[in-house]
Amino acid sequence: MMSVVDQMQAAVSDLVQPGKGILAADESTPTITKRFNAVGIESQEESRRSYREMLLGTEGIGEFLSGVILFEETLGQRSADGTPLPEVAARQGIVPGIKVDKGLTALANGQGDKITQGLDGLPERLAPYKEQGARFAKWRDVYPITANNPTRLGIATNAEVLARYAAICQAQGIVPIVEPEVLIDGDHTIDRCAEVSEAVLNAVFHALHRHGVLLEYMLLKPSMVVPGKDHPQKANPAEVAERTIRILRRTVPAAVPSINFLSGGQSPEQATANLNAMNQGHAGVPWELSFSYARALQEPPMAIWRGEAKNVAAAQAAFYKRAKLNAAARSGKYTEEMEKSS
Ligand code: 5MM
């Protein structure tokens, strides 16, 4: 029997591979329902199952993906031929993981800040997840930007909860993905996003230290530093990369093996171009810079699939293309020309 540290070391080695990133397919039922409804797909247990089977069954997708984050429902589902979906992923060389948070609620006295729930009973939930094949976990905290948010209370409390989650996972040999998301909603400047992101990451790493989390056996999944989506000026990839790397250097210890960004409402092309700029211009950083995208990988295939078997091949081709381009961006080898290839 491997020690918990050996289990985590093996999972980190499998997750952090050159030219590969992580697919976030862990949308909770309300979120996947919203995404399905936006493109005219009815959200039922069977449509969610066949959609995720379509993604994980894409031939060759393991060339570009080292891991997949699943929702609890998916962890227990099977492909049409009866193979458990985590096993479908594992056969492609993709490590299955599990989203373990239970979503957001209002933070009392937080002036609109949120707090993520799910710590109660978490140690007991991890053992069955592991038996079903999960080798890593994910927990997301969110930080809205307004004139008053996030509050000091919101930053401190969310950091504490993220660190408690990470420590609980590591005690059972599960690698935690720590996801503090500074939201893109609003008309704030890129300066304000940078200021908030730095404060959030600073608090998160202090909390991880207080809780004894081993930084070598976790991954960070942050948002990029970008202007609010309603801000009149957009930032180009070089600026996003420069601003993002600057605050990461100030806050993230070198012991963290990999930073896998979320896409957070950027278009698929933007998310790829921004990741590419980070890998092109900042060769000396101590961590790997990769992706853990949901929407930026899934938007094109979901829109093509529409719940119909006849669209599976085209949807898989679109998914394969997005994964391939992000894998190129993860090495700084993406070009806009590549968008035109089929
Ligand atoms: C921020 O959301 C995460 C990354 O997705 P994007 O690349 O689309 O930003 C994602 O893993 C998210 O945590 C899951 O979709 C689960 O979301 P909910 O809200 O259903 O917990």
Side-chain angles (χ1 to χ4, degrees):
M1 179 71 182
M2 283 165 91
S3 70
V4 290
V5 165
D6 288 347
Q7 289 172 40
M8 291 191 291
Q9 180 59 66
V12 166
S13 301
D14 289 344
L15 285 169
V16 184
Q17 294 189 47
K20 294 190 185 185
I22 296 173
L23 165 67
D26 61 320
E27 300 88 352
S28 59
T29 303
T31 301
I32 194 75
T33 300
K34 192 165 94 183
R35 307 254 188 273
F36 272 8
N37 290 347
V39 292
I41 304 168
E42 211 175 319
S43 177
Q44 293 166 336
E45 193 177 337
E46 173 51 24
S47 59
R48 296 190 292 271
R49 189 206 63 75
S50 54
Y51 172 68
R52 283 153 172 164
E53 177 181 358
M54 183 271 291
L55 293 178
L56 297 174
T58 300
E59 199 181 325
I61 201 70
E63 279 176 71
F64 314 119
L65 298 180
S66 58
V68 60
I69 316 170
L70 302 171
F71 182 54
E72 192 175 22
E73 177 185 78
T74 317
L75 200 65
Q77 287 177 324
R78 289 172 184 269
S79 66
D81 72 4
T83 310
L85 290 183
E87 178 62 26
V88 173
R91 284 183 191 169
Q92 299 251 41
I94 301 170
V95 179
I98 172 80
K99 184 251 289 298
V100 299
D101 68 68
K102 291 210 172 263
L104 307 172
T105 190
L107 175 65
N109 298 321
Q111 297 181 45
D113 279 349
K114 306 277 187 205
I115 187 76
T116 306
Q117 310 178 95
L119 287 177
D120 286 353
L122 179 58
E124 294 75 27
R125 284 195 281 134
L126 290 180
Y129 291 156
K130 247 178 130 170
E131 274 166 33
Q132 289 173 291
R135 298 171 63 199
F136 70 98
K138 194 210 82 172
W139 179 292
R140 168 174 171 254
D141 280 353
V142 306
Y143 304 85
I145 298 185
T146 71
N148 303 318
N149 303 96
T151 61
R152 286 173 66 183
L153 177 71
I155 290 176
T157 314
N158 275 291
E160 194 67 14
V161 166
L162 257 182
R164 286 188 62 200
Y165 138 80
I168 290 169
C169 288
Q170 288 193 338
Q172 300 201 31
I174 298 263
V175 169
I177 294 189
V178 170
E179 181 181 358
E181 180 180 7
V182 176
L183 296 175
I184 200 172
D185 305 313
D187 62 0
H188 51 269
T189 62
I190 193 168
D191 287 347
R192 175 86 174 122
C193 180
E195 173 191 57
V196 169
S197 302
E198 185 173 340
V200 163
L201 289 169
N202 193 22
V204 165
F205 279 94
H206 276 88
L208 291 168
H209 178 72
R210 276 198 303 282
H211 286 263
V213 173
L214 299 172
L215 302 184
E216 293 81 358
Y217 307 122
M218 60 157 275
L219 305 184
L220 179 69
K221 176 169 172 170
S223 37
M224 297 179 192
V225 174
V226 291
K229 73 168 188 271
D230 300 326
H231 191 270
Q233 276 165 353
K234 303 295 162 214
N236 63 40
E239 187 181 4
V240 173
E242 201 271 324
R243 301 299 300 263
T244 304
I245 298 286
R246 186 189 301 171
I247 61 131
L248 292 171
R249 277 188 189 278
R250 289 178 180 171
T251 54
V252 184
V256 172
S258 183
I259 296 176
N260 292 59
F261 293 97
L262 57 88
S263 57
Q266 301 177 42
S267 71
E269 294 80 8
Q270 275 172 339
T272 308
N274 289 340
L275 176 65
N276 189 61
M278 289 198 235
N279 277 299
Q280 266 186 350
H282 302 272
V285 296
W287 343 267
E288 296 294 318
L289 296 170
S290 186
F291 59 90
S292 175
Y293 296 156
R295 284 164 286 180
L297 281 168
Q298 294 186 52
E299 270 172 14
M302 191 186 289
I304 293 169
W305 180 64
R306 290 180 181 275
E308 295 188 39
K310 68 176 168 53
N311 297 331
V312 164
Q316 288 182 327
F319 179 50
Y320 184 91
K321 175 177 173 178
R322 278 290 19 115
K324 183 176 180 175
L325 297 191
N326 282 303
R330 188 230 184 288
S331 313
K333 292 185 180 144
Y334 162 82
T335 59
E336 263 179 43
E337 263 314 286
M338 293 161 90
E339 292 289 349
K340 293 182 196 136
S341 69
S342 56

